Amino acid sequence: MTQYMDFEKPLAEIEGKAEELRALARTNEEMDVTEEASALDTKARAILEELYKSLSPWRKCQVARHPERPHCKDYIDALFTEYTPLAGDRNFADDHAVMGGLARIKDTPVMVIGHEKGHDTKSRIERNFGMARPEGYRKAIRLMDIAHRFGLPVVTLVDTPGAYPGKGAEERGQSEAIARATEKCLQIGVPLVSVVIGEGGSGGAVAFATANRVAMLEHSVYSVISPEGCASILWKDAEKMREAAEALRLTAQDLKKLGVIDRIIPEPLGGAHRDAETSIAAVGRAINDMLSELSSKDPDALIADRRTKFLNLGSQGLAA
Amino acid sequence: MNWITNYVRPRINSIFSRRETPDNLWTKCPECGTMLFHREVSDNLNVCTNCDHHMHITPRDRFIALFDGGTFTEVAVTAPEPDPLNFRDQKRYPDRLRAAQKETAEAEAMLVARGDLGRTPIVAAAQDFSFMAGSMGMYVGNAIIAAAREAVKLKRPLILFSAAGGARMQEGILSLMQMPRTTVALQMLKEAGLPYIVVLTHPTTGGVTASYAMLGDVHIAEPNALICFAGPRVIEQTIREKLPEGFQRAEYLLDHGMLDRVTHRLKMRDELITITRMLLNLPPAVRADLPPPDKTAEAAEAVLEEAADPAPDASDK
């Protein structure tokens, strides 16, 4: 059973009814509900299409945060072979909010790094809901260094509400860790491609997504601050998150127009969580495409490409 | 509540109320509550004479106190696309910008200048907390890129004074992109083998701390400056406990290895001279021979008028 979001209420009712009918038919042999149920299915599909035809930015945030949305681990398990996690920052700890290691994509060895949010209460706590501490960024720096030395392309999967705002994280230099990770992204002489698969939360996302190529799933978001945070600062009311989400231009579609990302990966109808397999396959194709676009470039060209890209960013407005 | 009260009257008032004297001759120290005479405050570089609390200082005042003879040349910064997102919260972003420009008489939240510091030519950039909380948007990014390029061109060290509430939300993702953009600028500087010194002032937070403010060769902070990624209120809400006294203040960061030094504003100039000259392998500064810092604004303004013509300064590199 899918977890419904508030705006999916009409859909929930109809899909619920169809489900009920089918359950009834299973206990009662004489009943034939095929026709009614499929009528309801058609209706549900129409509603789903209508809802997802033009999702508002706030609704996209909700879809991006959907608990059943495929997470980093799902992508790594499905798209990569021989995944060999590498742990620890060699200084303090291993951060479970960041997973990464050696893996092959279509036989090519790469370094894969991503934020993992977890899928149930236990794993969410273990993963700290995908909010990395300095150790997470320092682990990523270490892995990027290895990739650089051995000429392995780096693939990052971004899905974080943001860097963890905690006491220990601040004590151990959250800012410095993020700054150094961003710096490392710009220094490595290997292809670096990034996909925002869910939430791209502020500095915590930039630290991984300062890449040669950045793709976003259709309903994922990438923003300087959460809509709730922005609303509470600028509107002095956290409940104005809809307005804030609108104003922040955090959707993949707006970011493409601004030139911040390079491509949008389409999601199945109703969001990635309704058909994880299709979404994961689409992300896999995008990663392969992006890697092959970069495969002919030498290390210096890759570094120069990243620099030029970010230096020129923002010269065009949204109106253009 | 009509256009006469909102628009016409303030206009008329502003014409008649312009005075040569400061609006307020007295400043109350926000820390100890002492009433301070404006001249006493400015002579002491906005540091409370009673409790040593470091109040905000504008980039222009800071530069006047920093550069030899109080003279410096402004480095031009490319103006970005204004309001790239057509952002509107309770006010329109262009209105907020205009209000800040009127209030501060500055174009944006960062000032870049070149000049001599203890007879050492340097480039300096300072963030203006009074301009929309010093927030980092496209302009600040452009300013840092301009500062780095100028430093590389003239082979000079860059000294940056940070002060910001974080990224400029009204520029959305483009403000966030200043993190990698400014990092690229600093890499150009480092590749040219030039020192980059960061002076972190109150407050330096968010995306600013998590990019150019934490990538210096040397980090110096002003006493008691708040320096953090996530602000104390956000952390208290997250972990639901009260934070210890002094948490995320300069001295705390020094203790935790994030800073090299915590230095009083009045001693900052001398310290910067000492450090830059050693990093550049120059002989010690002859302090007795230096022209005294001239705090009169006239001196600086006279130089500003020449800002359009970079030739005299460029030739002395």
Side-chain angles (χ1 to χ4, degrees), chain B residues 103-124:
Chain B
E103 204 182 301
T104 58
E106 294 290 350
E108 251 279 5
M110 187 169 266
L111 188 66
V112 184
R114 60 169 188 268
D116 284 356
L117 170 67
R119 295 197 175 165
T120 318
I122 64 151
V123 175

Side-chain angles (χ1 to χ4, degrees), chain B residues 140-214:
Chain B
V140 169
N142 286 357
I144 293 173
I145 292 168
R149 284 196 169 135
E150 185 79 358
V152 171
K153 189 178 87 189
L154 303 174
K155 297 195 176 62
R156 295 180 179 194
L158 173 62
I159 300 178
L160 185 139
F161 298 84
S162 67
R168 173 101 31 105
M169 277 174 290
Q170 290 86 348
E171 293 184 19
I173 193 78
L174 293 178
S175 67
L176 192 65
M177 290 301 121
Q178 304 317 308
M179 292 171 66
R181 271 187 102 219
T182 54
T183 308
V184 172
L186 302 179
Q187 283 179 345
M188 303 192 290
L189 202 68
K190 285 186 184 177
E191 277 162 20
L194 297 164
Y196 169 50
I197 299 173
V198 190
V199 179
L200 298 101
T201 75
H202 180 76
T204 298
T205 68
V208 170
T209 324
S211 56
Y212 56 87
M214 272 290 149

Side-chain angles (χ1 to χ4, degrees), chain A residues 131 138 162-168 170-176 178-180 182-184 186-187 200-207 210 222-225 229-230 233-236 243-244 247-249 255 258 260 303 306-308 310-319, chain B residues 80-81 84-90 96 138 142 145 149 167-181 183-185 187-188 190-191 206 209-212 214-216 219 227-231 234-236 238-239 241-244 247-248 252-253 256 258:
Chain A
M131 293 183 284
R138 292 186 179 129
Y164 184 59
K167 191 166 162 259
E170 290 287 322
E171 267 172 3
R172 298 191 296 278
Q174 187 73 290
S175 326
E176 198 260 0
I178 293 172
R180 294 281 171 213
T182 312
E183 187 183 46
K184 186 55 72 185
L186 289 161
Q187 283 169 338
S202 193
V206 170
T210 304
Y222 186 6
S223 176
V224 64
I225 186 169
C230 179
I233 297 171
L234 290 182
W235 278 263
K236 316 268 181 253
E243 287 85 342
L248 281 167
R249 312 279 181 183
L255 267 62
L258 286 165
V260 172
I303 293 169
R306 245 173 267 139
R307 284 190 178 190
T308 323
F310 284 95
L311 279 181
N312 294 341
L313 235 170
S315 35
Q316 80 202 66
L318 202 59
Chain B
E81 172 96 6
L85 309 185
N86 305 320
F87 194 96
R88 187 193 181 111
D89 50 87
Q90 287 170 312
R96 282 189 192 267
M138 282 294 292
N142 286 357
I145 292 168
R149 284 196 169 135
R168 173 101 31 105
M169 277 174 290
Q170 290 86 348
E171 293 184 19
I173 193 78
L174 293 178
S175 67
L176 192 65
M177 290 301 121
Q178 304 317 308
M179 292 171 66
R181 271 187 102 219
T183 308
V184 172
Q187 283 179 345
M188 303 192 290
K190 285 186 184 177
E191 277 162 20
T209 324
S211 56
Y212 56 87
M214 272 290 149
L215 294 172
H219 294 169
I227 302 160
C228 59
F229 178 67
V234 177
I235 297 176
E236 279 182 347
T238 311
I239 63 173
E241 60 178 274
K242 202 101 188 83
L243 293 164
F247 181 68
Q248 298 178 318
Y252 176 93
L253 267 88
H256 285 85
M258 292 299 141

Side-chain angles (χ1 to χ4, degrees), chain A residues 135-212:
Chain A
E135 300 77 69
Y137 299 108
R138 292 186 179 129
K139 169 163 77 179
I141 292 171
R142 194 172 71 81
L143 300 194
M144 284 193 259
D145 253 331
I146 298 176
H148 170 72
R149 279 195 292 129
F150 299 102
L152 308 176
V154 178
V155 178
T156 60
L157 299 169
V158 176
D159 190 13
T160 179
Y164 184 59
K167 191 166 162 259
E170 290 287 322
E171 267 172 3
R172 298 191 296 278
Q174 187 73 290
S175 326
E176 198 260 0
I178 293 172
R180 294 281 171 213
T182 312
E183 187 183 46
K184 186 55 72 185
C185 285
L186 289 161
Q187 283 169 338
I188 52 176
V190 289
L192 172 53
V193 302
S194 184
V195 184
V196 182
I197 54 173
E199 277 184 280
S202 193
V206 170
F208 287 7
T210 304
N212 292 95

Side-chain angles (χ1 to χ4, degrees), chain A residues 251-262:
Chain A
T251 65
Q253 293 69 29
D254 278 340
L255 267 62
K256 178 82 171 37
K257 279 186 216 156
L258 286 165
V260 172
I261 61 161
D262 303 287

Side-chain angles (χ1 to χ4, degrees), chain B residues 31-77:
Chain B
E31 197 66 25
C32 68
T34 310
M35 292 304 281
L36 304 158
F37 190 56
H38 73 100
R39 187 144 298 170
E40 181 187 15
V41 176
S42 60
D43 282 352
N44 211 36
L45 303 180
N46 292 12
V47 177
C48 175
T49 47
N50 181 52
C51 72
D52 260 351
H53 176 66
H54 285 51
M55 292 176 266
H56 297 308
I57 181 166
T58 64
R60 219 165 274 279
D61 286 345
R62 194 186 281 279
F63 285 173
I64 291 170
L66 179 78
F67 287 106
D68 296 349
T71 60
F72 57 91
T73 309
E74 262 187 71
V75 173
V77 175

Side-chain angles (χ1 to χ4, degrees), chain A residues 83-98:
Chain A
Y83 172 58
T84 312
L86 300 176
D89 70 343
R90 300 295 185 269
N91 275 304
F92 181 76
D94 182 44
D95 187 345
H96 301 295
V98 174

